């Protein structure tokens, strides 16, 4: 009896060569000058999991004939994805119907288990008020057995009509018989109720852990908001899916990714995803390539079992260790050199009337937005008074909040000190494990770069000992002090970034001190300095669709295409450069740049067939990659946005991984 792995090896020896023809091939091969020109190859020849050649159909048939006894002509295959076997040559030809072939896109920062769970759990990303969120939670709880956890994610108070922090009082009234756990959109804050806190053994006297916080009101009572590392003390009580259920969720999720043009991901979730991908691999059901990163608690196990960055196989590759330096912008926990403005600067009246307001909001769960406005009037709170008590995101802040700094000003949360980060990074590096450190705020990025500078000799010694590169990374790198941009290149540290964060954070950017002159979402700055950049989504914080991320990099404007929202247009990135950061960038970060990241002979046969050409467009007069005039070679802003929106709306016809069609529309 053959094992699954033996059966796969047997099938690979029997597989036909495949010719993907009738296409416009954009190879992104740095050695091929026609990568972004109007004239391009039209076919790719694949043998097993490797690319044999890229060129014209006639050229590739000649190459194939040298490996077969006879040659034969092939009639039209007939439609996208249609196949015909060429007699004698033993070639299966796949007709790409004149569409465009691109290298397979890779998401360099993904949370696969969280993404899989987000497709099942309650989604609060579209609610527009606190009352609407509570009503959605109450409705979900009403459909569940008594006492079960109600779990969800996606809430973002910064986008609510009433942008103030939620608390547990409304949940306690609306959902008293279920513990509740609702993750914020950035996954850095957990909103729970009294039942959830009780199960976790947390009360008003529980001390905050280092790097985390149980948020309290002015009287010291728990509000139900839990931040950063403190979330672990609640989340560990939330029942997890069985291993079989998790595998089913991952399988459904990988099919979604394939349909969006992803041929690989760098997965930053916990051991649950490691086991899930392993089970799919052993069952011959893994169809997307995964580079797996460790979390802190897994390091002792990894060292004991001999986990080394670069080990694994072609489908489940071993990455490095993820550490956390700070939190997130939306949760006001990213570690900054300048303080966040105080959202409660004018909220004394609100604090003194907490009970009245809680009663009002509980009633609002059952009313419309207009009725809630009427209710506030009944309580004697005028519109003028409300404006004085709260400010609204997005929008300008009260002058007083910007001009004065409270004693307890919020600079975010440093989840680990610089010394602790270094100690953990050194331990991993000495064991042959590269390090990826989460850093969003400029002060966090500064500390992390200091860590990597201190780690240089240790890294060099480990690379020589283990005979492989250990490429360290900063995850997110959203805000960087000007003098630190060049340090990414000097220290050979990869900036792992997510273009969608830029446009999703447009309503938050007024929180950043402009006088600090920070490099914000500064992809071209880093590339110009010679640093390596890798793009991803941070899914499910952002949707996984990489074409929307390319749009974000090109426009730095909201996803709807509003040109007036473009943030710092001088930092736009061309489509071709954004694609490179989704192809070669992740390959380099994983140490796989000798076999993935572009289409050329000997490279892995990972590519996609799409309906939009990112390299040519009406109004594109010349291709530029790092063009600080904001037009990227387009003759007008309108032409740039027209092409960017076409790329955003790209349809994937075929996704090929390892030479096999893994998705077909």
């Amino acid at each position: 009896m053959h094992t699954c792995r033996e059966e796969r090896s047997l099938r690979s020896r029997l597989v036909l060569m495949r010719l993907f023809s009738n296409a416009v091939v954009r190879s992104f091969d740095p050695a091929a000058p026609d990568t972004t020109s109007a004239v391009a190859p039209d076919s790719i020849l694949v043998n097993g999991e490797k690319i044999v050649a890229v060129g014209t159909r006639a050229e590739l048939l000649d190459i194939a004939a040298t490996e077969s006894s006879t040659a034969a002509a092939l009639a039209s295959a007939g439609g996208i994805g249609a196949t015909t076997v060429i007699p004698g040559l033993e070639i299966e030809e796949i007709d790409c119907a004149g569409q465009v072939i691109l290298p397979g896109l890779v998401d360099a920062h993904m949370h696969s288990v969280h993404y899989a769970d987000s497709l099942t759990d309650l989604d609060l990303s579209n609610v527009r008020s606190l009352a609407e969120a509570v009503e959605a939670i109450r409705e979900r709880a009403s459909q569940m057995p008594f006492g079960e956890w109600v779990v969800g994610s996606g809430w973002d108070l910064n986008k609510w009509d009433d942008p103030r922090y939620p608390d547990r009082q409304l949940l306690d009234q609306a959902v008293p018989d279920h513990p509740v756990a609702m993750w914020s959109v950035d996954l850095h804050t957990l909103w729970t109720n009294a039942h959830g806190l009780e199960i976790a053994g947390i009360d008003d006297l529980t001390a905050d852990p280092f790097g985390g916080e149980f948020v309290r009101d002015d009287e010291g009572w728990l509000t139900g908001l839990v931040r950063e590392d403190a979330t672990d003390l609640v989340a560990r009580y939330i029942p997890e899916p069985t291993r079989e259920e998790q595998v089913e969720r991952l399988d459904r999720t990988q099919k979604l990714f394939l349909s969006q043009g992803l041929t690989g991901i760098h997965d930053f979730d916990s051991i649950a995803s490691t086991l899930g991908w392993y089970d799919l691999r052993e069952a011959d059901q893994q169809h997307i390539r995964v580079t797996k990163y460790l979390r802190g608690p897994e390091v002792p196990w990894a060292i004991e079992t001999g986990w080394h960055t670069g080990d694994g196989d072609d489908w489940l590759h071993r990455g490095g260790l993820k550490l956390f330096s700070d939190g997130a912008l939306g949760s006001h926990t990213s570690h900054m050199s300048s303080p966040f403005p105080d959202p409660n600067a004018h909220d004394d009246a609100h604090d003194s009337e907490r009970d009245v307001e809680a009663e009002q909001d509980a009633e609002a769960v059952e009313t419309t937005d207009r009725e809630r406005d009427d209710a506030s009037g009944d309580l004697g709170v005028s519109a003028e008074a409300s404006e004085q008590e709260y400010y609204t995101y997005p929008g300008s802040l009260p002058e007083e909040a910007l001009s004065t700094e409270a004693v307890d000003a919020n600079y975010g949360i440093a989840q680990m000190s610089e010394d602790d980060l270094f100690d953990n990074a050194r331990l991993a590096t000495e064991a042959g494990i590269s390090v990826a450190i989460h850093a969003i705020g400029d002060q966090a990025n500064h500390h992390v770069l200091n860590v990597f500078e201190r780690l240089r000799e240790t890294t060099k010694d480990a690379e020589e000992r283990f005979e492989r590169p250990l490429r360290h990374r900063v995850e997110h790198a959203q805000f960087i002090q000007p003098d630190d941009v060049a340090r990414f290149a000097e220290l050979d540290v990869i900036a792992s970034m997510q273009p969608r964060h830029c446009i999703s954070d447009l309503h938050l950017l007024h929180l950043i001190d402009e006088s600090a002159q920070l490099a914000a979402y500064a992809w071209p700055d880093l590339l110009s300095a010679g640093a390596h950049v890798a793009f991803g989504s941070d899914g499910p914080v952002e949707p996984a669709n990489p074409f929307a991320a390319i749009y974000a990099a090109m426009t730095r404007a909201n996803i709807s295409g509003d040109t007036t929202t473009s943030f710092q247009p001088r930092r736009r990135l061309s489509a071709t450069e954004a694609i490179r950061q989704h192809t070669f960038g992740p390959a380099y970060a994983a140490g796989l740049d000798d076999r993935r990241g572009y289409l050329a002979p000997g490279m892995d046969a990972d590519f996609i067939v799409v309906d939009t050409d990112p390299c040519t467009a009406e109004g594109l007069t010349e291709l530029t990659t790092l063009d600080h005039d904001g037009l990227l070679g387009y003759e007008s802003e309108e032409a740039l946005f027209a092409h960017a929106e076409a790329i955003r709306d790209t349809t994937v016809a075929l996704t090929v991984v390892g030479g096999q069609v893994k998705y077909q529309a």
Side-chain angles (χ1 to χ4, degrees):
M1 178 180 294
H2 294 298
T3 66
C4 288
R5 192 161 294 176
E6 289 170 338
E7 289 173 357
R8 287 195 295 271
S9 177
L10 178 62
R11 284 198 299 275
S12 67
R13 292 196 298 271
L14 295 176
V15 72
L16 300 169
M17 282 192 289
R18 293 185 174 88
L19 179 66
F20 294 82
S21 62
N22 188 17
V24 176
V25 181
R26 302 300 189 186
S27 69
F28 284 80
D29 182 351
D34 64 350
T35 296
T36 58
S37 68
V39 178
D42 62 22
S43 300
I44 295 180
L45 181 63
V46 172
N47 190 358
E49 294 194 8
K50 297 291 184 179
I51 295 173
V52 175
V54 179
T56 67
R57 179 176 181 273
E59 291 170 342
L60 301 192
L61 284 174
D62 286 343
I63 292 172
T66 64
E67 301 185 18
S68 303
S69 58
T70 61
L74 178 70
S76 174
I80 181 69
T83 62
T84 304
V85 175
I86 304 177
L89 284 182
E90 297 183 338
I91 294 178
E92 182 182 50
E93 182 166 36
I94 293 90
D95 186 349
C96 296
Q99 299 200 59
V100 181
I101 293 180
L102 300 174
L105 304 177
V106 176
D107 191 311
H109 190 115
M110 169 65 66
H111 302 273
S112 65
V113 165
H114 277 92
Y115 210 107
D117 290 345
S118 73
L119 301 178
T120 301
D121 295 339
L122 179 61
D123 179 11
L124 294 179
S125 60
N126 293 320
V127 303
R128 287 295 175 264
S129 68
L130 175 59
E132 189 177 335
V134 173
E135 174 58 19
I137 297 167
R138 188 201 63 76
E139 176 63 23
R140 173 61 68 94
S142 70
Q143 303 168 10
M144 300 175 64
F146 179 87
E148 281 195 5
W149 280 85
V150 185
V151 182
S153 63
W155 62 269
D156 184 356
L157 70 91
N158 303 291
K159 293 183 178 179
W160 287 352
D161 298 333
D162 50 347
R164 53 195 170 83
Y165 288 109
D167 61 34
R168 65 182 177 86
Q169 290 198 15
L170 293 178
L171 291 182
D172 292 346
Q173 296 177 46
V175 192
D177 300 324
H178 295 264
V180 175
M182 294 291 143
W183 294 96
S184 61
V185 65
D186 56 26
L187 301 179
H188 285 255
T189 300
L190 189 63
W191 175 24
T192 188
N193 61 353
H195 200 349
L197 292 170
E198 181 182 7
I199 289 174
I202 297 165
D203 59 30
D204 296 311
L205 300 179
T206 303
D208 292 342
F210 184 83
E213 178 188 12
F214 298 111
V215 180
R216 294 169 166 83
D217 62 19
D218 288 345
E219 297 179 0
W221 305 109
L222 293 172
T223 68
L225 286 183
V226 185
R227 290 175 171 161
E228 303 303 340
D229 285 355
T231 62
D232 294 339
L233 302 180
V234 178
R236 64 187 180 186
Y237 291 95
I238 302 172
E240 296 182 352
T242 66
R243 191 162 171 175
E244 292 75 16
E245 290 171 338
Q246 196 65 75
V247 168
E248 290 177 2
R249 292 185 181 189
L250 281 177
D251 186 32
R252 183 166 65 249
T253 305
Q254 73 170 337
K255 291 173 181 175
L256 171 64
F257 294 162
L258 290 166
S259 73
Q260 296 174 329
L262 291 173
T263 59
I265 63 171
H266 293 187
D267 187 5
F268 282 82
D269 266 345
S270 63
I271 192 68
S273 70
T274 303
L275 296 175
W277 289 117
Y278 178 82
D279 289 347
L280 283 169
R281 175 73 173 130
E282 288 303 298
D284 199 23
Q285 294 298 313
Q286 184 185 345
H287 303 306
I288 193 168
R289 301 191 195 271
V290 177
T291 296
K292 190 70 193 71
Y293 281 75
L294 300 164
R295 305 299 287 263
E298 298 165 359
V299 171
W301 164 82
I303 293 176
E304 182 179 348
T305 58
W307 173 298
H308 299 135
T309 295
D311 284 351
D313 57 34
D314 290 342
W315 292 84
L316 195 53
H317 185 76
R318 292 182 176 180
L321 164 68
K322 183 182 181 184
L323 299 171
F324 284 85
S325 177
D326 68 344
L329 180 63
S331 290
H332 298 197
T333 54
S334 53
H335 189 192
M336 309 298 296
S337 59
S338 300
F340 288 100
D342 182 7
N344 297 314
H346 301 278
D347 216 12
D348 294 339
H350 163 58
D351 290 338
S352 65
E353 296 177 3
R354 176 185 178 89
D355 294 336
V356 175
E357 215 176 30
E359 180 181 350
Q360 172 192 342
D361 283 340
E363 294 173 358
V365 171
E366 305 296 334
T367 66
T368 64
D369 288 343
R370 182 179 299 277
E371 288 168 336
R372 286 197 304 277
D373 292 339
D374 293 341
S376 67
D378 291 342
L379 288 171
V381 182
S382 68
E384 182 179 355
S386 297
E387 289 178 2
Q388 293 175 349
E389 291 169 12
Y390 308 108
Y391 67 84
T392 303
Y393 301 93
S396 59
L397 299 171
E399 179 107 12
E400 297 84 351
L402 291 171
S403 60
T404 60
E405 181 176 328
V407 175
D408 58 348
N410 176 23
Y411 288 83
I413 291 179
Q415 292 200 40
M416 299 178 73
S417 70
E418 187 177 306
D419 286 341
D420 285 342
L421 281 170
F422 173 72
D423 289 341
N424 281 270
R426 181 179 58 186
L427 176 67
T429 302
E430 289 175 343
I433 301 172
S434 63
V435 179
I437 305 182
H438 168 116
I440 289 179
D442 69 292
Q443 196 64 25
N445 276 280
H446 184 73
H447 286 313
V448 169
L449 290 172
N450 290 346
V451 167
F452 286 136
E453 187 166 6
R454 296 166 62 184
L455 199 64
R456 295 181 82 170
E457 288 303 315
T458 302
T459 301
K460 181 180 178 181
D461 292 344
E463 289 179 330
E464 292 176 354
R465 187 155 37 93
F466 291 99
E467 299 181 335
R468 68 194 65 191
L470 296 177
R471 291 170 177 164
H472 301 312
R473 308 163 45 149
V474 175
E475 301 304 313
H476 312 305
Q478 286 179 209
F479 303 103
I480 306 172
Q481 295 170 16
D483 291 342
D484 281 339
V485 172
R487 295 179 72 199
F488 277 85
E490 293 166 0
L491 299 172
D492 198 19
V493 173
I494 297 160
S496 171
M497 306 178 78
Q498 300 75 40
R500 281 294 297 267
H501 283 339
C502 175
I503 66 174
S504 294
D505 289 349
L506 291 173
H507 64 293
L508 296 172
L509 296 180
H510 63 278
L511 299 175
I512 305 302
D513 182 2
E514 292 186 12
S515 66
Q517 296 295 306
L518 303 179
Y521 314 92
W523 322 300
D525 305 59
L526 290 159
L527 291 168
S528 294
H532 287 277
V533 175
F535 277 170
S537 68
D538 198 16
V541 175
E542 304 288 353
N545 188 340
F547 293 101
I550 294 167
Y551 161 89
M554 293 176 68
T555 67
R556 300 172 70 93
N558 69 23
I559 196 66
S560 69
D562 183 352
T563 61
T564 65
T565 64
S566 188
F567 174 68
Q568 297 182 349
R570 69 184 184 278
R571 287 193 164 114
R572 290 171 176 164
L573 207 59
S574 71
T576 55
E577 196 62 48
I579 288 173
R580 284 193 182 94
Q581 310 322 315
H582 267 106
T583 52
F584 183 81
Y588 180 86
L592 297 169
D593 45 303
D594 61 339
R595 57 190 303 179
R596 295 178 198 157
Y598 56 93
L599 305 178
M603 303 293 279
D604 288 341
D606 298 353
F607 50 87
I608 58 178
V609 181
V610 299
D611 66 347
T612 304
D613 191 341
C615 300
T616 61
E618 184 177 351
L620 179 55
T621 58
E622 61 177 319
L623 282 164
T624 63
T625 55
L626 304 175
D627 181 359
H628 296 283
D629 70 0
L631 287 181
L632 302 174
Y634 296 86
E635 61 186 16
S636 67
E637 188 95 341
E638 290 74 19
L640 188 161
F641 269 79
H643 193 201
E645 290 175 36
I647 293 172
R648 177 198 64 194
D649 300 335
T650 292
T651 297
V652 177
L654 297 174
T655 300
V656 178
V657 190
Q660 297 188 31
V661 176
K662 296 295 187 179
Y663 166 80
Q664 182 170 344

